[in-house]
Amino acid sequence: MKQANPISRPGRLFYSRTVALLTILVLSYLSYLITAPFLSPLAWAVILAFLLHPLYVRLAAIIGARRNLAALAITLLTTIFLIGPLSILLASFASQTAELMAALQKSNTENPESLIFWLHSTSPIAPLIDWLQASFNISFQEMDRWAAEGIQKGLEGLISFSGKVFIGALGTITSFSIMLFMLFFILRDGSVMLGYSKALVPLSDERTDQLFNRIADVIHAVVFGTIVTALIQGALTGLALAVVGIPAPVVFGVLAAIFSLLPIGGTAIVWLPACLYLLASNQWGAAIGLGLWGMLLVGTIDNFLRPLLVSSRGHVGTLMVFIGVLGGVTAFGVVGLLLGPVILALSIALLRFTREQREAESQPLPPSS
């Protein structure tokens, strides 16, 4: 005679689910520990694979659906087009940063009475300078020294931050190699991975396709509508500064690309002080030309680029991008420049998608004929 199992059927079901859940949690944590050192190159590989996937599909179709060859060709082309320009930019950024630091220190020691004297003679804040001098017994030399030191420290902090972002984005040779290795496999097997991911979503095939299309729109909006636009604005600003003879145009171009993500100010934080510097140097033509370039082209080009690069369904707000960039860099490092805005945008897109799903389910069915 068989002895009855002391655990009831509901108890066995609870026990099995608890063990399965704990096993999944433990394995997920261990998997995170294993992959944590490679999260940054993995994130860059996923982003590049998303951007290059249309080119990969076309190339695979041209060469007869040879996925390995197509993925290898795209990976090699990516290596060539990334290493060359980025190496030149990195070398220019490093050399110009050193030159700018030296010029700031030299200007601070050789021209102790330049800034405040110029502001007093040419700007409407001259009464304020006179009031400060009379009320607090502060000389022009002291005010100019404080202003010069403040400007120098501020520029040094901005240059240091932009250098960390720019140089960190390039990563080490090891991380770059790992990223390219991952890029090959994500390009080759991306469609299969996407199919497995769709199979895990507890929605109908139609709604699952809509969800993934929404996610693709959001990523497209962040990468093309925001990051690419910022890079173009930074390049245009750096080009104009180089033409008018402002030192370290690459450094200030990188700063302009970063400031273009701000909801207020934008690239004007870079080119407007440059215009004031040119006016102080009696270079009126260069100052007017730079101001017109900044206002009419750099400051407005995003209004034309974003509609061209981003679909209306994938619109991402400027404030969300700003918070995502700053928070993403703090949380994830340099890759957070893209990962932060993408995560925030995806979260809001998923909430909107869930609301639309509930609204669709709550609508009454049409009466049957």
Side-chain angles (χ1 to χ4, degrees):
M1 182 177 179
K2 291 185 179 181
Q3 186 178 1
N5 193 335
I7 303 178
S8 61
R9 179 179 176 83
R12 291 197 303 271
L13 183 60
F14 174 78
Y15 175 77
S16 61
R17 289 181 175 179
T18 303
V19 172
L21 179 60
L22 290 176
T23 303
I24 292 174
L25 291 176
V26 171
L27 290 177
S28 299
Y29 176 70
L30 294 176
S31 299
Y32 169 76
L33 293 179
I34 294 172
T35 58
F38 311 106
L39 288 181
S40 180
L42 176 61
W44 285 117
V46 171
I47 294 170
L48 286 175
F50 173 80
L51 299 177
L52 297 172
H53 184 261
L55 179 61
Y56 163 76
V57 172
R58 294 176 185 175
L59 182 60
I62 292 175
I63 62 178
R66 297 177 181 175
R67 297 187 299 129
N68 286 326
L69 185 58
L72 180 60
I74 298 297
T75 303
L76 292 177
L77 289 175
T78 303
T79 306
I80 295 172
F81 283 102
L82 281 180
I83 289 180
L86 290 181
S87 298
I88 296 174
L89 281 176
L90 178 59
S92 300
F93 186 91
S95 62
Q96 291 186 12
T97 298
E99 293 174 1
L100 184 60
M101 291 295 186
L104 286 173
Q105 294 175 356
K106 182 179 180 181
S107 175
N108 195 22
T109 56
E110 294 184 357
N111 301 296
E113 300 181 351
S114 57
L115 179 61
I116 297 299
F117 275 95
W118 176 78
L119 288 176
H120 185 268
S121 60
T122 61
S123 71
I125 68 170
L128 175 61
I129 297 176
D130 292 333
W131 178 80
L132 289 173
Q133 187 179 20
S135 301
F136 299 97
N137 195 22
I138 303 174
S139 65
F140 280 168
Q141 291 83 355
E142 290 176 321
M143 285 189 286
D144 204 279
R145 187 179 70 253
W146 294 342
E149 290 176 355
I151 293 173
Q152 181 175 346
K153 291 180 180 178
L155 279 175
E156 288 176 356
L158 291 175
I159 292 170
S160 176
F161 172 75
S162 62
K164 290 178 181 178
V165 171
F166 180 66
I167 297 173
L170 304 181
T172 62
I173 297 177
T174 303
S175 297
F176 187 77
S177 302
I178 294 174
M179 184 271 293
L180 292 175
F181 182 75
M182 293 178 175
L183 176 63
F184 170 81
F185 288 99
I186 295 175
L187 281 173
R188 190 192 67 176
D189 304 325
S191 300
V192 178
M193 298 177 186
L194 186 62
Y196 287 147
S197 301
K198 287 184 176 181
L200 297 175
V201 178
L203 294 173
S204 63
D205 292 341
E206 180 182 359
R207 296 295 293 174
T208 299
D209 290 336
Q210 292 176 359
L211 173 61
F212 277 79
N213 289 336
R214 181 72 59 85
I215 292 174
D217 288 338
V218 168
I219 297 177
H220 188 279
V222 171
V223 175
F224 284 97
T226 302
I227 305 301
V228 172
T229 303
L231 293 176
I232 292 175
Q233 287 181 297
L236 290 175
T237 303
L239 177 63
L241 296 178
V243 170
V244 298
I246 297 295
V250 174
V251 175
F252 289 114
V254 173
L255 285 173
I258 296 174
F259 285 135
S260 68
L261 300 173
L262 298 177
I264 299 176
T267 56
I269 299 176
V270 174
W271 59 259
L272 185 57
C275 290
L276 296 178
Y277 169 80
L278 292 172
L279 289 175
S281 305
N282 293 323
Q283 302 181 50
W284 293 89
I288 294 173
L290 179 60
L292 292 175
W293 179 274
M295 288 187 296
L296 301 180
L297 181 61
V298 179
T300 59
I301 194 172
D302 58 327
N303 298 325
F304 302 98
L305 284 178
R306 282 196 176 98
L308 293 175
L309 299 174
V310 183
S311 64
S312 59
R313 291 180 58 192
H315 176 71
V316 178
T318 304
L319 180 60
M320 183 191 307
V321 173
F322 174 64
I323 296 174
V325 166
L326 294 184
V329 170
T330 303
F332 306 108
V334 179
V335 72
L337 284 171
L338 290 176
L339 206 56
V342 166
I343 290 175
L344 285 184
L346 285 179
S347 300
I348 294 179
L350 290 175
L351 290 175
R352 290 175 179 171
F353 184 83
T354 303
R355 184 191 63 188
E356 295 173 2
Q357 175 79 3
R358 291 187 175 181
E359 290 176 353
E361 292 175 351
S362 63
Q363 292 179 356
L365 296 174
S368 58
S369 57

